[in-house]
């Protein structure tokens, strides 16, 4: 009796499977975006930076747009990995510890610098690429939801609004840090403390006002 052969994976499915070479290509693409911007990103440049044959980049990524979008997805994984690491080190238990987390995130990103550059390069690219823009909006929602969950656990009455405000403050500091090597996280802390305290204090005020 003949056995039925397992169905072969399509070329597109194979390209989507994570692997060391594919990840090396995406890491090289992110490094090049930080160094030169998305407009200078080419399959040839990425292949040279990753130390792989040119055919490898075109095999995994059919177009430059696909390469940029997949690099962004890898960037998002790194960002949430960083957040998870910091939260595991110091779980938010009150306003002060939540401020500590936000300051530490900003400190590490500004210290690394390339992560901030990559994000803003990708934002500019997303303005001209609707598919990347949709990816970026999903990332924004995930980011806001993660912070809103922490705020809600601490009792914030409007956690999503507070989360968006706090993210905007951190991003403003990071953007400022790109052109100011003397950017001081203590200054960011001074800005964050009253916002976080107000978000949590407002929740207590609402609770007291309830009949």
């Amino acid at each position: 009796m003949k056995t039925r052969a397992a169905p072969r994976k399509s070329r597109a499915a194979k390209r989507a499977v994570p692997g060391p070479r594919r990840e090396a290509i995406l890491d090289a693409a992110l490094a090049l975006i930080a160094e030169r911007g998305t407009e200078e990103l080419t399959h040839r440049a990425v292949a040279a930076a990753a130390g792989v044959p040119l055919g490898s980049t075109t095999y995994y990524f059919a177009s430059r747009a696909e390469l940029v979008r997949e690099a962004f997805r890898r960037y998002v994984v790194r960002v949430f990995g960083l957040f998870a690491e910091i939260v595991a080190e110091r779980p938010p238990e009150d306003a002060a510890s939540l401020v500590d987390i936000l300051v530490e995130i900003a400190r590490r990103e500004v210290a690394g610098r390339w992560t901030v550059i990559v994000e803003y390069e990708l934002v500019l690219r997303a303005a001209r690429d609707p598919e990347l823009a949709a990816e970026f909006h999903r990332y924004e929602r995930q980011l806001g939801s993660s912070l809103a969950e922490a705020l809600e656990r601490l009792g914030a009455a409007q956690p999503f609004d507070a989360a968006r405000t706090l993210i905007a403050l951190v991003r403003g500091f990071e953007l400022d840090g790109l052109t100011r090597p003397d950017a001081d996280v203590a200054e960011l802390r001074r800005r964050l403390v009253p916002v976080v305290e107000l978000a949590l204090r407002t929740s207590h005020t609402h609770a007291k006002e309830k009949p």
Side-chain angles (χ1 to χ4, degrees):
M1 182 178 178
K2 290 184 179 180
T3 57
R4 184 176 296 177
R8 292 183 179 180
K9 288 184 179 180
S10 68
R11 180 180 172 86
K14 286 180 180 178
R15 285 202 303 260
V17 176
R21 177 166 287 189
R22 186 176 187 275
E23 291 174 355
I25 290 168
L26 292 175
D27 287 341
L30 287 171
L32 286 172
I33 290 171
E35 182 183 342
R36 307 179 191 176
T38 59
E39 295 305 314
E40 297 294 322
L41 195 73
T42 65
H43 282 86
R44 189 174 299 278
V46 172
V52 300
L54 177 59
S56 293
T57 60
T58 54
Y59 172 76
Y60 286 109
F61 311 102
S63 66
R64 188 176 72 159
E66 183 184 350
L67 177 57
V68 171
R69 286 192 290 268
E70 290 299 322
F72 175 67
R73 290 181 183 127
R74 184 151 175 81
Y75 168 79
V76 169
V77 170
R78 284 187 174 186
V79 168
F80 283 107
L82 171 66
F83 289 176
E85 179 184 328
I86 293 172
V87 170
E89 291 172 2
R90 52 186 85 188
E93 298 174 349
D94 51 24
S97 57
L98 182 58
V99 169
D100 286 342
I101 289 172
L102 295 171
V103 169
E104 182 61 14
I105 288 169
R107 187 193 68 76
R108 292 194 196 182
E109 291 197 341
V110 170
R113 198 168 187 271
W114 79 270
T115 54
V116 183
I117 295 174
V118 165
E119 181 157 323
Y120 284 98
E121 284 288 345
L122 289 168
V123 169
L124 291 173
R125 178 77 181 183
R128 299 184 292 276
D129 180 345
E131 193 170 338
L132 183 59
E135 291 277 347
F136 190 79
H137 293 154
R138 275 194 290 273
Y139 163 63
E140 288 278 273
R141 288 194 295 272
Q142 286 179 302
L143 203 59
S145 294
S146 296
L147 183 53
E149 284 175 11
L151 285 160
E152 190 171 31
R153 283 195 298 271
L154 295 176
Q158 297 177 303
F160 286 96
D161 288 344
R164 292 180 66 181
T165 300
L166 291 168
I167 289 170
L169 278 172
V170 172
R171 280 204 170 131
F173 173 79
E174 291 172 348
L175 186 59
D176 195 36
L178 290 179
T179 56
R180 280 185 51 202
D182 60 338
D184 185 4
V185 291
E187 179 183 346
L188 174 63
R189 183 182 295 279
R190 285 194 296 272
R191 295 178 186 176
L192 288 170
V193 167
V195 178
V196 173
E197 289 182 347
L198 178 61
L200 301 184
R201 190 184 310 129
T202 301
S203 69
H204 298 318
T205 301
H206 286 176
K208 288 178 181 178
E209 289 176 352
K210 286 182 180 179

